[in-house]
């Protein structure tokens, strides 16, 4: 096993069989070794800095019907909302004052926000805060739409691939969604020039070590700028409402492996991890993560953007909440910084 970890550190990838072995033979001792190696890689690239992103959940209307997601179209009990352009801008304004220099616009695939509307919002945000980065997390769109948003000033795009295994993708999504289109989107985004993030849920229904190995091989091959992973958490009124929650320790183990595969990747300790474990953020950072995404949406939006049960968001909309987060990070030897926090070596979209 130690030989395999050495090989992973040296070659930044393994064969599918080796990844399966690494996952199936996980124990505390090997996890600690991986965490140490991951922290070393993260320190070489980002020191002890932690980048923060102001997350704005701007709509929970969605035309899709993903089996795992609480805001899927056919959940009649989801309380729907969308923020107005003014509300979105006011979130940015407040967050800018608190030191945020990246805003993340995340929403369900809500047709109300047409490509033109999004373009106008992107332009407004970028002209009001030219020294800030803008990340979109707004699902699948045609290439020319992605291009128009990039030209309007968007810098980064988050689109989790969810699973790199065709069969597994079908078990998580209705027929209208395909892994092929998801991959098309990711490659388009990359070619256009975005800093791109992919990712997956840990312990999603029907996930296996073999399927995780495919995710890791995809990550090693695609070389995304960002990777978002968090434990699966069942959501009420979805086909997966009675499935088991994902493991925190497997999530941490995979965070470390991903950090080793891509030493300079932007890797968040996610909301789902913080939901499953009150020390999830600290544990994520100590496993190699270097990004936290505090929620700066209005309070009602935070409550209604219920992708899963018991979502415990990290509040970023108030000074004392941020101070508290800073203190938590200082306790483990890290510090929150207020730069844009681009991937090392990336050219800005200017
Ligand atoms: N548990 C954990 N993560 C979820 N997501 C959606 N539903 C759930 C859930 N029930 C994740 C998906 C999506 C991201 C925005 O949130 O991976 O890409």
């Amino acid at each position: 096993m130690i030989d395999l970890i050495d090989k992973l550190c040296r070659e930044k990838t393994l064969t599918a069989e080796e990844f399966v072995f690494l996952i199936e033979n996980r124990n505390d001792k090997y996890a600690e070794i991986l965490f140490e190696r991951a922290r070393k890689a993260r320190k070489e690239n980002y020191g002890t800095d932690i980048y923060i992103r102001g997350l704005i959940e701007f709509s929970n209307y969605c035309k899709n019907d993903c089996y795992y997601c609480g805001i899927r179209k056919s959940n009649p009990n989801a309380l729907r909302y969308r923020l107005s352009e003014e509300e979105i801008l006011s979130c940015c304004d407040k967050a800018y004052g608190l030191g945020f220099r990246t805003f993340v616009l995340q929403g369900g695939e809500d047709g109300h926000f047409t490509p033109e509307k999004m373009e106008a919002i992107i332009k407004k945000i970028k002209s009001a805060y030219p020294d800030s980065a803008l990340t979109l997390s707004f699902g699948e769109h045609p290439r020319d739409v992605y291009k128009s948003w990039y030209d309007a000033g968007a810098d980064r795009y988050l689109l989790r691939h969810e699973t790199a295994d065709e069969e597994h993708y079908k078990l998580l999504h209705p027929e209208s969604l395909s892994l092929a289109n998801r991959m098309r989107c990711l490659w388009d985004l990359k070619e256009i020039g975005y800093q791109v993030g992919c990712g997956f849920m840990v312990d999603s229904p029907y996930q296996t070590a073999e399927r995780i190995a495919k995710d890791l091989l995809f990550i090693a091959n695609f070389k995304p700028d960002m990777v978002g992973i968090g434990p699966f958490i069942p959501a009420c009124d979805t086909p997966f409402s009675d499935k088991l929650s994902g493991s925190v320790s497997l999530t941490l183990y995979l965070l470390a492996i991903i950090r080793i595969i891509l030493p300079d990747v932007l890797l968040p300790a996610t909301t789902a991890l913080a939901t499953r474990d009150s020390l999830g953020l600290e544990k994520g950072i100590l496993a190699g993560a270097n990004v936290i995404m505090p929620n700066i949406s209005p309070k009602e939006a935070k409550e209604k953007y219920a992708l899963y049960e018991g979502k415990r968001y990290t509040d970023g909309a108030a000074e004392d909440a941020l101070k508290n987060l800073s203190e938590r990070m200082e306790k483990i030897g890290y510090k929150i910084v207020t730069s844009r926090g681009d991937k090392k070596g990336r050219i800005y979209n200017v």
Side-chain angles (χ1 to χ4, degrees):
M1 188 70 162
I2 306 288
D3 287 352
L4 204 55
I5 295 177
D6 282 338
K7 182 177 173 199
L8 174 67
C9 293
R10 214 171 42 243
E11 299 186 7
K12 313 275 180 260
T13 193
L14 296 172
T15 64
E17 294 71 30
E18 288 168 333
F19 275 130
V20 169
F21 187 89
L22 192 62
I23 294 161
E24 287 185 338
N25 292 282
R26 172 168 70 94
N27 66 23
D28 288 351
K29 182 179 141 206
Y30 299 139
E32 208 37 67
I33 294 171
L34 281 172
F35 297 164
E36 259 171 47
R37 306 276 179 103
R39 285 198 295 269
K40 182 164 170 277
R42 115 36 125 206
K43 284 225 166 109
E44 281 167 12
N45 287 285
Y46 298 105
T48 54
D49 289 356
I50 292 175
Y51 298 145
I52 49 169
R53 321 297 197 194
L55 178 64
I56 305 170
E57 294 160 338
F58 67 96
S59 171
N60 70 353
Y61 284 87
C62 192
K63 69 175 165 71
N64 293 328
D65 232 353
C66 308
Y67 302 147
Y68 46 82
C69 186
I71 64 167
R72 66 199 297 267
K73 174 179 67 182
S74 12
N75 180 356
N77 295 324
L79 303 168
R80 305 288 171 176
Y81 74 92
R82 59 173 69 94
L83 301 184
S84 66
E85 188 179 300
E86 293 67 39
E87 287 172 309
I88 294 173
L89 285 160
S90 124
C91 288
C92 295
D93 199 56
K94 204 164 157 197
Y96 189 91
L98 292 170
F100 284 95
R101 294 296 177 270
T102 290
F103 308 115
V104 182
L105 289 185
Q106 179 166 101
E109 290 190 24
D110 176 0
H112 168 88
F113 288 94
T114 59
E116 297 72 30
K117 274 205 184 104
M118 288 303 289
E119 198 177 326
I121 295 171
I122 293 163
K123 283 186 177 154
K124 282 202 180 144
I125 295 176
K126 288 297 288 197
S127 67
Y129 312 102
D131 60 343
S132 298
L134 181 57
T135 305
L136 303 177
S137 173
F138 189 44
E140 298 186 349
H141 296 277
R143 184 184 174 114
D144 59 330
V145 171
Y146 286 149
K147 175 82 168 82
S148 71
W149 295 342
Y150 184 77
D151 291 342
D155 303 88
R156 311 189 187 121
Y157 205 103
L158 301 175
L159 183 69
R160 290 190 178 177
H161 64 286
E162 311 297 356
T163 172
D165 179 271
E166 190 84 52
E167 280 307 303
H168 190 206
Y169 200 91
K170 287 192 188 132
L171 292 166
L172 300 179
H173 301 98
E175 254 179 50
S176 51
L177 295 171
S178 71
L179 181 59
N181 195 48
R182 187 56 62 116
M183 291 293 164
R184 189 275 302 161
C185 289
L186 284 165
W187 287 103
D188 277 352
L189 289 161
K190 188 173 218 196
E191 281 168 25
I192 289 167
Y194 283 95
Q195 295 175 44
V196 184
C198 64
F200 59 92
M201 294 175 286
V202 176
D203 284 329
S204 62
Y206 315 109
Q207 191 175 56
T208 58
E210 286 74 18
R211 286 175 167 156
I212 297 175
K214 283 194 179 178
D215 290 318
L216 296 174
L217 283 169
F218 169 64
I219 287 169
N221 174 45
F222 182 64
K223 300 191 175 24
D225 305 286
M226 306 173 277
V227 177
I229 67 165
F232 164 75
I233 302 172
C236 276
D237 307 305
T238 63
F240 293 164
S241 60
D242 56 0
K243 303 284 186 198
L244 292 178
S245 276
S247 147
V248 168
S249 60
L250 179 57
T251 304
L252 298 172
Y253 197 76
L254 292 171
L255 277 172
I257 293 174
I258 292 166
R259 166 65 65 205
I260 295 167
I261 296 174
L262 301 171
D264 60 357
V265 75
L266 296 166
L267 190 65
T270 54
T271 308
L273 185 60
T275 296
R276 289 279 288 128
D277 186 325
S278 57
L279 290 175
L281 296 181
E282 285 87 345
K283 291 179 183 173
I285 298 295
L286 291 170
N290 68 327
V291 173
I292 295 179
M293 299 169 71
N295 198 314
I296 60 166
S297 316
K299 189 162 180 294
E300 313 76 65
K302 281 176 188 145
E303 283 157 8
K304 293 180 184 160
Y305 199 83
L307 301 185
Y308 42 78
E309 288 319 292
K311 191 179 83 164
R312 179 156 35 186
Y313 56 84
T314 308
D315 191 6
E319 204 161 342
D320 52 340
L322 266 186
K323 197 164 156 269
N324 178 274
L325 191 61
S326 290
E327 285 167 6
R328 283 174 63 180
M329 293 303 123
E330 274 163 29
K331 268 201 193 122
I332 55 166
Y334 291 81
K335 65 170 189 303
I336 287 183
V337 296
T338 57
S339 62
R340 276 177 48 129
D342 287 281
K343 166 128 170 255
K344 213 179 143 193
R346 277 293 310 226
I347 317 255
Y348 292 0
N349 177 17
V350 281

